[in-house]
Amino acid sequence: MQKRSSPNIEKMSAKPSPKKHYQAFILDADNTLFDFDAAERAALREALLANGYRRFPEDTFSRYHRINDELWKLFERGLIDQKQLRIERFERLITDLPRPRQEAQMPDPAAIGEQYIEALSEKGYLLAHARRVLRSLSSRVPLLLLSNGIASVQRRRIERSGIGVYFQDILISEEAGLAKPDPAIFALAIERLRCGEEGILCVGDSPSSDIRGGRNAGLDTCWVAPSGAEYPAEEPRPLYTISDLRELLDFLPPNRDQSPDQSS
């Protein structure tokens, strides 16, 4: 996910790149197709309540988001593994939270982490138009889902949301032993799509993993950003920027079964 608070940011150019048609798509999962922010907040609340935290400061969710974002950046750089990430984020979070009960021992961060993972796995919330767009894309070209997420969480959310049927393949970093932005995981995705990189569009919300990784693998890239969002100046720029998933349909090749009169 993109850091919104980076001081090194610039407005994306209002002049769009000319769009071309693609033969396949590599799609990120969280905050590209899934509404991860909503799922994260709901799962965190459930995990804290389950461990006796009946009240917590208003900034608890934003603090967790910042901690989690920072640790995922370290993971992308290969400086920590997912096991460390899953525990350390809660070690940091509960340090400043009041104890659930005055004489109770501090809850185990690892236990909170497991409860959070379990809760998150049940929340396959999709972003607006995601299902419709996936249905339309997959009826015309092959799709591959490429995620750095925790495998057990992603597999369960894919199952609950029902979007797995739209993908030719699903590649998750924990299962592959590789992670975005490593070009090797993109090379594996390209191989599984059986399509040259020049015919594939890589789509995602993260400048550091999706856009940088895709570009380094020789792919055209598309940044999924809310309207008016700012792009980190230190990251390589995407070829395209969209704020609505329905814009991906413009990248589909012409439908040869459709007559000119039906193309509107």
Side-chain angles (χ1 to χ4, degrees):
M1 283 170 285
Q2 178 199 3
K3 283 187 176 180
R4 302 289 183 193
S5 58
S6 171
N8 228 356
I9 52 181
E10 60 181 21
K11 289 284 185 181
M12 294 295 291
S13 171
K15 183 180 180 181
S17 299
K19 291 181 179 179
K20 77 177 200 182
H21 299 136
Y22 292 90
Q23 304 303 314
F25 290 74
I26 294 174
L27 295 158
D28 174 54
D30 291 329
N31 283 342
T32 298
L33 301 174
F34 287 116
D35 186 346
F36 183 79
D37 291 345
E40 177 186 69
R41 188 179 183 92
L44 180 59
R45 180 177 181 83
E46 289 179 24
L48 292 176
L49 288 172
N51 282 273
Y53 290 99
R54 295 293 179 260
R55 295 182 180 179
F56 27 85
E58 291 183 4
D59 69 343
T60 298
F61 297 106
S62 60
R63 284 185 57 243
Y64 174 80
H65 186 83
R66 288 194 298 271
I67 291 168
N68 194 46
D69 189 58
E70 178 183 329
L71 291 173
W72 275 106
K73 292 294 187 292
L74 294 178
F75 172 77
E76 289 173 6
R77 294 164 56 193
L79 299 178
I80 61 172
D81 60 28
Q82 282 196 4
K83 183 177 180 181
Q84 292 172 284
L85 183 153
R86 291 165 67 160
I87 297 174
E88 186 172 340
R89 56 189 176 184
F90 290 102
E91 287 179 340
R92 293 190 189 185
L93 179 67
I94 67 175
T95 298
D96 296 327
L97 290 181
R99 291 193 178 189
R101 294 174 294 277
Q102 188 172 358
E103 298 180 0
Q105 292 184 343
M106 186 68 76
D108 178 13
I112 298 176
E114 289 305 311
Q115 289 167 327
Y116 169 79
I117 290 297
E118 182 62 28
L120 186 62
S121 300
E122 298 300 312
K123 294 166 178 45
Y125 308 155
L126 292 173
L127 289 171
H129 314 299
R131 190 182 307 280
R132 173 193 164 192
V133 169
L134 288 174
R135 184 185 302 117
S136 296
L137 292 175
S138 65
S139 70
R140 304 271 293 283
V141 297
L143 309 180
L144 183 142
L145 185 68
L146 179 57
S147 174
N148 270 358
I150 295 168
S152 61
V153 173
Q154 300 301 66
R155 292 288 179 186
R156 182 61 177 150
R157 291 165 72 215
I158 291 166
E159 178 185 353
R160 289 191 67 83
S161 66
I163 65 172
V165 296
Y166 301 121
F167 292 95
Q168 175 175 297
D169 209 334
I170 296 170
L171 188 55
I172 300 175
S173 61
E174 186 179 18
E175 297 171 343
L178 299 164
K180 298 183 288 186
D182 187 343
I185 197 167
F186 289 91
L188 182 57
I190 294 167
E191 178 184 334
R192 292 191 179 184
L193 281 170
R194 299 184 180 90
C195 180
E197 58 264 26
E198 70 281 354
I200 300 173
L201 182 63
C202 177
V203 183
D205 74 298
S206 171
S208 61
S209 63
D210 300 312
I211 306 306
R212 187 201 310 164
R215 283 193 49 165
N216 289 344
L219 298 169
D220 287 352
T221 56
C222 178
W223 182 46
V224 180
S227 179
E230 295 175 317
Y231 194 87
E234 69 274 12
E235 293 293 346
R237 296 172 66 88
L239 183 59
Y240 310 106
T241 297
I242 64 172
S243 59
D244 187 313
L245 286 174
R246 289 174 294 184
E247 294 177 70
L248 290 178
L249 301 179
D250 295 336
F251 296 107
L252 282 170
N255 189 345
R256 294 179 180 177
D257 296 330
Q258 193 175 45
S259 68
D261 292 337
Q262 297 172 313
S263 61
S264 60

